[in-house]
Amino acid sequence: MRTRTTTAAALTVLALALTACNSEEEPAAVDSRSRSAGISAEDKAKAREAAGLPPEPSATARYRFLEAWDAIDRRVSKPGTDEQAVSRGLNQCGSINASPDDRDKLVRQTLERFTITTRLPEISTPETDGKILDAVHTYLCPDF
């Protein structure tokens, strides 16, 4: 299921990027940020929905997720990786959306996605991982 969701997301983003292109040739020096600026917020939201992901979280939701993340265990959060944690959380939302009733599977995916088993094996327990999963679900995708 994860492969199909990832493939569908990649194809959706590619299709959106192609439709955002115009027939004029872009200068070679244009970076990817400039090219992606042509995709509307509405198109991005549609792509996220098609990929089974929630809308981009508000600043408040992001802050509360990161606050909950730190409260679980200060060691899970590395300096300068807040965006990575939110991104991984949003990806976990896709897994929650795909298997909402299989908590054991979701907890295992959380372990893998957030690399807790390899980085912090001493705190890699179903209890800790369940707390991370709950923080993701509560703050990043409460409607899933």
Side-chain angles (χ1 to χ4, degrees):
M1 181 58 113
R2 183 171 155 188
T3 303
R4 280 187 258 143
T5 301
T6 304
T7 303
L11 290 174
T12 302
V13 170
L14 179 61
L16 288 172
L18 290 175
T19 59
C21 294
N22 60 27
S23 61
E24 294 179 17
E25 206 172 304
E26 290 185 355
V30 174
D31 67 6
S32 62
R33 289 173 293 179
S34 298
R35 279 184 255 141
S36 67
I39 300 173
S40 72
E42 183 180 335
D43 286 342
K44 287 179 185 177
K46 286 179 186 176
R48 293 176 72 81
E49 185 178 346
L53 299 174
E56 189 65 32
S58 68
T60 301
R62 251 180 154 67
Y63 177 80
R64 288 191 176 147
F65 168 70
L66 292 169
E67 205 172 43
W69 174 252
D70 285 341
I72 293 165
D73 189 304
R74 295 291 293 171
R75 294 174 290 173
V76 297
S77 180
K78 296 184 293 187
T81 61
D82 289 354
E83 287 307 309
Q84 182 182 53
V86 171
S87 176
R88 288 180 180 177
L90 292 170
N91 285 331
Q92 186 63 23
C93 287
S95 297
I96 293 169
N97 192 25
S99 304
D101 298 324
D102 194 347
R103 184 167 175 85
D104 290 338
K105 178 180 177 181
L106 292 170
V107 167
R108 283 191 310 275
Q109 288 172 332
T110 302
L111 277 168
E112 294 167 9
R113 185 161 276 134
F114 287 95
T115 67
I116 302 300
T117 52
T118 55
R119 287 189 310 115
L120 301 164
E122 66 278 8
I123 66 165
S124 182
T125 65
E127 180 184 353
T128 301
D129 303 324
K131 288 178 183 179
I132 294 170
L133 176 63
D134 292 341
V136 167
H137 198 198
T138 300
Y139 300 108
L140 300 180
C141 48
D143 297 332
F144 285 13

